[in-house]
Amino acid sequence: MTIGKSNRQFRKKGRKQKADPFLKKVWYDVKAPNIFRETQIGKTCVNPTGGGKTSEQQLDKRMFEVSLGDLNKDERKSYMQFKFRVEHVSGTNCFTNFYGMRLTNDKVQSLVVKYHTLIEAVVNVKTTDGYTVRIFCIGFTKKDRNQVKKTCYAQSSQVREIRRRMVNIMIKESNCTLKELTLKLISESVPKEITKQCQSVFPLQNVYLRKMKVLKTPKVDVDTILKLHGFETKKKKETGKKVNRKKKRGGNKKKKN
């Protein structure tokens, strides 16, 4: 023992164990619209109601990104990432709506090839139910079967004509509701139509809708969101009962003086 040290043993003060913050969280199920095979996206957590904010208010407008391969159980389309936004919370369920789509970076990078012309087109469209959407399209020139030439470049006039046709087709195909536009994204009918219409100008390959994002959303009623998820809401007409009023006989007659 060193000189000047006392023999007394001091108790060490125990530190308070911090409680795990996730034990207090409330968990909710995230639901996708019923146009997909798998409607259960996953789960999300939120702080319980307190501090002037309810848990429903905290979940409102929360974003989720899911692969189409997981939504439709098709690994061939796993390169498409769909975005969803929470529009309504009921019980322990968060009902979402489509909010955007993009191709993964590795898919876009795999499309770019040397000695070919890359053609892109961007357009803002408005659906019939009031959504303003921006659509990005991408395509590449294609070689002929018996072509000997190494390069496959399109002239600037051909690029302008192809871009004009891309824009016209995207405007025409988006003249529908957001739900129908989402179904067209899943089936990839718009890129097939672009490839067909531009064949006379210059053959194209690897035509995709690279990105789509919702710019403006209208005021959406709760019933419309529930219909997207397969719930039918019937509004009862309020009709009052007929009341039979008894007519007074004679009326108010003035008394003669």
Side-chain angles (χ1 to χ4, degrees):
M1 189 177 73
T2 56
I3 300 169
K5 294 285 184 179
S6 61
N7 295 329
R8 289 185 297 172
Q9 293 180 355
F10 296 97
R11 290 182 181 178
K12 293 181 181 179
K13 290 183 179 180
R15 294 180 181 177
K16 290 183 179 179
Q17 291 183 353
K18 291 183 179 179
D20 190 3
F22 272 86
L23 294 175
K24 296 179 181 179
K25 301 275 185 183
V26 183
W27 291 86
Y28 286 81
D29 295 323
V30 185
K31 301 287 185 179
N34 62 350
I35 58 175
F36 301 98
R37 289 184 184 177
E38 187 66 38
T39 56
Q40 178 72 27
I41 295 176
K43 288 183 175 290
T44 185
C45 60
V46 70
N47 292 325
T49 303
K53 250 190 176 183
T54 60
S55 56
E56 286 80 8
Q57 290 174 344
Q58 297 175 49
L59 286 168
D60 192 29
K61 311 303 180 191
R62 186 174 283 193
M63 306 289 292
F64 300 93
E65 193 174 58
V66 191
S67 171
L68 184 61
D70 296 332
L71 289 167
N72 279 352
K73 296 180 180 179
D74 186 6
E75 292 182 359
R76 293 173 296 177
K77 292 191 177 182
S78 59
Y79 56 86
M80 297 176 74
Q81 296 286 330
F82 277 73
K83 276 187 179 181
F84 299 95
R85 190 173 76 166
V86 177
E87 299 291 346
H88 177 63
V89 181
S90 176
T92 57
N93 294 324
C94 297
F95 297 105
T96 62
N97 196 6
F98 173 79
Y99 199 71
M101 186 277 298
R102 69 175 183 88
L103 297 184
T104 55
N105 293 333
D106 56 340
K107 178 65 176 179
V108 177
Q109 290 166 7
S110 67
L111 297 175
V112 180
V113 189
K114 286 197 299 183
Y115 310 120
H116 290 71
T117 304
L118 186 151
I119 304 165
E120 283 187 301
V122 185
V123 65
N124 291 348
V125 295
K126 193 170 185 179
T127 59
T128 54
D129 50 355
Y131 288 87
T132 305
V133 185
R134 182 172 290 166
I135 308 173
F136 299 80
C137 183
I138 190 172
F140 299 86
T141 54
K142 182 183 178 182
K143 286 184 178 181
D144 291 331
R145 289 183 180 179
N146 301 323
Q147 183 175 337
V148 181
K149 192 177 179 181
K150 187 178 182 181
T151 60
C152 181
Y153 296 127
Q155 296 178 359
S156 58
S157 60
Q158 291 174 325
V159 171
R160 284 196 299 270
E161 179 62 23
I162 289 170
R163 190 177 289 117
R164 187 184 66 81
R165 293 191 182 190
M166 280 180 173
V167 170
N168 291 339
I169 291 167
M170 286 190 287
I171 292 170
K172 182 183 175 182
E173 292 292 331
S174 60
N175 190 21
C176 57
T177 61
L178 188 69
K179 181 181 178 181
E180 292 170 353
L181 188 60
T182 310
L183 289 169
K184 288 179 182 179
L185 278 176
I186 297 167
S187 62
E188 295 184 351
S189 61
V190 181
K192 291 174 185 176
E193 184 66 22
I194 291 169
T195 308
K196 183 180 177 182
Q197 293 293 333
C198 296
Q199 188 73 23
S200 59
V201 182
F202 203 103
L204 295 179
Q205 64 178 353
N206 296 330
V207 180
Y208 290 95
L209 294 182
R210 182 176 63 83
K211 191 177 181 182
M212 180 183 289
K213 57 183 179 180
V214 179
L215 301 177
K216 289 182 183 179
T217 56
K219 288 184 179 179
V220 184
D221 192 14
V222 177
D223 294 337
T224 56
I225 296 297
L226 293 176
K227 280 180 183 178
L228 288 172
H229 293 266
F231 295 97
E232 293 183 0
T233 55
K234 295 180 180 179
K235 292 183 179 180
K236 293 182 180 179
K237 294 182 179 179
E238 295 181 359
T239 55
K241 294 180 180 179
K242 290 183 178 180
V243 179
N244 295 324
R245 292 182 179 179
K246 293 181 180 180
K247 294 181 179 180
K248 294 180 179 180
R249 292 179 181 177
N252 295 327
K253 293 182 179 180
K254 293 183 179 179
K255 293 181 180 180
K256 295 181 180 180
N257 294 329

